[in-house]
């Protein structure tokens, strides 16, 4: 018997939320960090039907710092979803942090419907105005047909040139509005006003090569731009070819192996004596991917007084902004370094220069004074972490003393394993960033070295370790104080410890137990040698409360307003 064929089903109509998720899939987004709320419920409904993994942070600040850690380690764009009003404002700190440290993020914020924007509607906040100074760009979707184009542009802007955060604000009626397939774009991005220069100028490369070959005391300053360009191999090849010593900015650590014979340590406020004196006495300073910030330079009037400066940076606004530059090279760091290596300029003679730096390293090493009666020192803890992880761990931190000790005493064997808050200096960054880093690199050992104060700002993310068994190792350098604030009050404010000491704290081991996590309390070096090793070798998430000496200071130190060669705390008193 003949049966009438069924009519073909009408094509499914997509709304804005569906289009958003489909566009994320086209950008190969695998992980999204977020927190739902009324204005983004349509987006979460579309997300529920798709395979993109969503990480439900316990606070929006935790979500965005986790996305930063994910982006920093993976090299991919971190993606965040937050609802309107307080959800959006809770990610502002992370957006500012990502902007200062050049972390590629696309942050989707919900917004009230376009029909009530500007009426002080429930959970309305003008996130476009709020984030304009702290983003590479931001958008508010006003027509659902524009959504694919806007998302494509957002990913392009965030990940090209100097990376950074982009905000896309989506009113609720744009997420529910019907999208016509005929409106869909090809995915091509056409931004005539945004065309970052990636290829270096050949004449400038020639000038730089000539300067390198004739310099007697050259020095490479490597910043995070080397890491973003994935140019560590080229940096090391250049240094080895011309026998040029290398120093790092705080965010540039890992561009060269920590035990490489040409590496002389981190420069800046808490840099090594050798690195800072090398800057002050070099005749050629080759800055690759660093922005000459104040914590690096000290008093600008006395910075690198004898040096001709080569500055390689993809952001032309940074060149000459703080330090006069004789040879500016606007380019991607890898492209510039490859071009320099191709020049085959004759080698200069740097033997005497390297010998003098070696003498400085031997006479003025990093130091601390340990004894059993004094108690457990934070530097000892970091050195043990380095020993037990063989320099291969991904290390995250907040800001402060623990950050500087980690930077000084952990020697990285490879790039992209150092995740810290540099420019903004954000307390509460390190622990959630470690969660993102572990998701980006599941096979890695991830250690979050944090202070007792900063950890308490985002400790609610312990729920994620409990829920997902993410094997992050949290090491609290617990001095019961706002450590760096206490150090400054001791040094510059007559030991008046105004609200910097924290004598009453939670029992962190019991806190870990409340989240069904293993916890350790370590109070001596002998205990640290045993228990820290056991904790770090575990395959489970672990919290380690290391009770360290409260009055230990980070040395050396360049006092604000002074020059790099005027460091204090270079040798034991």
């Amino acid at each position: 018997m003949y049966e009438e064929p069924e009519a073909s089903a009408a094509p499914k109509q997509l709304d804005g939320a569906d289009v958003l998720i489909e566009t994320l899939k086209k950008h190969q987004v695998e992980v999204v960090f977020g927190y739902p709320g009324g204005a983004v419920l349509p987006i979460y409904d579309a997300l529920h039907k798709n395979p993109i993994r969503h990480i439900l942070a316990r606070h929006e600040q935790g979500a965005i710092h986790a996305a930063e850690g994910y982006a920093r380690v993976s090299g991919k764009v971190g993606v965040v979803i937050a609802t309107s009003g307080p959800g959006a404002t809770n990610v502002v700190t992370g957006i500012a942090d990502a902007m200062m440290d050049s972390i590629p993020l696309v942050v989707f914020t919900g917004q009230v419907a376009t029909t009530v924007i500007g009426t002080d509607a429930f959970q309305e906040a003008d996130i476009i105005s709020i984030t304009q100074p702290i983003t590479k760009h931001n958008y508010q979707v006003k027509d659902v047909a524009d959504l694919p184009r806007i998302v494509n542009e957002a990913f392009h802007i965030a990940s090209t040139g100097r990376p950074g955060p982009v905000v896309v604000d989506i009113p609720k009626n744009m997420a529910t509005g019907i999208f016509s397939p005929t409106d869909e774009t090809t995915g091509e991005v056409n931004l005539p006003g945004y065309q970052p220069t990636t290829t270096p100028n050949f004449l400038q490369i020639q000038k730089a090569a000539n300067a390198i070959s004739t310099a007697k005391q050259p020095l490479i300053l490597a910043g995070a731009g080397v890491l973003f360009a994935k140019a560590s191999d080229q940096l090391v090849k250049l240094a080895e070819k011309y026998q040029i010593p290398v120093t790092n900015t705080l965010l540039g650590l890992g561009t060269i192996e920590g035990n490489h014979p040409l590496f002389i340590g981190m420069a800046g406020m808490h840099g090594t004596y050798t690195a800072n004196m090398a800057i002050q006495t070099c005749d050629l300073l080759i800055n690759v991917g660093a922005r000459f910030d104040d914590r690096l330079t000290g008093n600008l009037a006395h910075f690198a007084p004898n040096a001709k400066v080569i500055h390689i940076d993809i952001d032309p606004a940074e060149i000459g902004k703080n330090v006069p530059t004789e040879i500016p090279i606007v380019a991607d760091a890898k492209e510039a370094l490859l071009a320099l290596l191709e020049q085959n300029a004759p080698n200069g003679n740097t033997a005497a220069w390297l010998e003098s730096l070696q003498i400085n390293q031997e006479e003025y090493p990093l130091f601390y004074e340990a004894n059993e009666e004094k108690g457990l020192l934070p530097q000892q803890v970091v050195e043990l972490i380095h020993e037990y992880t063989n320099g291969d761990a991904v290390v995250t931190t907040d800001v402060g003393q623990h950050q500087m000790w980690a930077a000084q005493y952990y020697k990285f064997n490879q790039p992209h394993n150092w995740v810290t808050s540099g420019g903004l200096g954000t307390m509460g960054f390190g622990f959630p960033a470690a969660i993102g880093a572990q998701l980006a690199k599941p096979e890695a050992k991830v250690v979050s070295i944090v202070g007792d104060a900063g950890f308490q700002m985002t400790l609610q993310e312990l729920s994620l370790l409990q829920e997902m068994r993410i094997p992050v190792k949290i090491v609290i350098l617990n001095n019961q104080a706002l450590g760096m604030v206490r150090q400054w009050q001791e040094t510059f404010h007559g030991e008046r410890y105004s609200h910097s000491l924290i004598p009453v704290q939670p029992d962190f081991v019991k806190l870990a137990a409340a989240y069904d996590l293993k916890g350790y309390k370590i109070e001596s070096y002998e205990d640290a040698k045993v228990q820290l090793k056991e904790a770090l070798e575990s395959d489970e998430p672990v919290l380690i409360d290391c009770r360290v000496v409260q009055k230990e200071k980070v040395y050396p130190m360049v006092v604000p307003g002074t020059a790099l060669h005027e460091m204090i705390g270079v040798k034991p008193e």
Side-chain angles (χ1 to χ4, degrees), residues 139 149 152-153 156-157 186-195:
Y139 296 87
R149 173 187 60 79
N152 291 336
E153 290 178 3
H156 177 72
I157 293 169
T186 62
E188 295 181 2
V189 173
N190 180 25
L191 295 172
Y194 175 72
Q195 300 291 330

Side-chain angles (χ1 to χ4, degrees), residues 110-367:
Q111 185 55 272
V112 300
T114 55
T115 53
V116 292
I117 288 178
T119 67
D120 292 332
F122 177 67
Q123 290 192 331
E124 179 185 2
D126 184 1
I127 201 66
I128 293 298
S129 296
I130 291 170
T131 62
Q132 189 171 6
I134 55 171
T135 53
K136 280 189 74 175
H137 195 59
N138 59 21
Y139 296 87
Q140 186 174 84
V141 180
K142 297 180 179 178
D143 186 333
V144 68
D146 292 333
L147 194 51
R149 173 187 60 79
I150 288 173
V151 175
N152 291 336
E153 290 178 3
F155 274 84
H156 177 72
I157 293 169
S159 60
T160 58
R162 179 180 178 177
V166 177
V167 165
V168 179
D169 195 41
I170 305 177
K172 189 170 184 178
N173 59 327
M174 294 296 104
T176 57
I178 299 303
F179 178 83
S180 170
T182 58
D183 294 327
E184 191 165 5
T185 65
T186 62
E188 295 181 2
V189 173
N190 180 25
L191 295 172
Y194 175 72
Q195 300 291 330
T197 299
T198 58
T199 304
N201 179 283
F202 179 69
L203 293 177
Q204 295 300 93
I205 290 293
Q206 283 186 316
K207 289 179 184 178
N210 290 336
I212 290 171
S213 66
T214 57
K216 300 297 183 186
Q217 297 182 173
L219 176 67
I220 293 173
L221 170 67
V226 176
L227 298 169
F228 298 138
K230 295 180 172 59
S232 294
D233 288 347
Q234 291 72 29
L235 177 88
V236 174
K237 286 177 182 176
L238 184 73
E240 291 176 342
K241 179 177 180 178
Y242 294 103
Q243 287 297 288
I244 304 173
V246 179
T247 183
N248 279 145
T249 64
L250 173 66
L251 291 177
L253 290 169
T255 55
I256 184 170
E257 189 175 344
N259 290 319
H260 194 288
L262 290 173
F263 181 56
I264 57 174
M266 180 179 71
M269 178 172 279
H270 295 292
T272 66
Y273 176 87
T274 304
N276 284 345
M277 290 304 297
I279 288 176
Q280 295 303 86
T281 55
C282 68
D283 60 8
L284 179 68
L285 181 59
I286 308 160
N287 178 342
V288 188
R291 59 184 179 87
F292 283 133
D293 71 289
D294 61 298
R295 288 295 171 102
L296 169 75
T297 64
N299 189 323
L300 278 170
H302 303 286
F303 177 76
N306 306 314
K308 176 184 287 188
V309 175
I310 300 171
H311 191 169
I312 299 169
D313 206 298
I314 200 163
D315 185 354
E318 293 296 345
I319 298 178
K321 183 177 80 173
N322 295 329
V323 174
T325 300
E326 285 78 10
I327 305 177
I329 300 175
V330 179
D332 174 83
K334 179 181 280 190
E335 295 294 327
L337 291 169
L338 285 170
L340 281 171
L341 287 167
E342 289 172 359
Q343 288 300 297
N344 289 319
N347 283 34
N349 184 1
T350 62
W353 170 234
L354 292 174
E355 183 179 354
S356 70
L357 297 180
Q358 179 63 35
I359 292 171
N360 276 348
Q361 286 181 304
E362 292 171 0
E363 292 188 356
Y364 302 98
L366 293 171
F367 75 92

Side-chain angles (χ1 to χ4, degrees), residues 378-399:
Q379 300 96 320
Q380 292 175 312
V381 176
V382 177
E383 286 187 327
L384 286 174
I385 294 170
H386 178 267
E387 178 185 343
Y388 296 149
T389 60
N390 299 311
D392 291 323
V394 175
V395 177
T396 75
T397 79
D398 288 347
V399 63

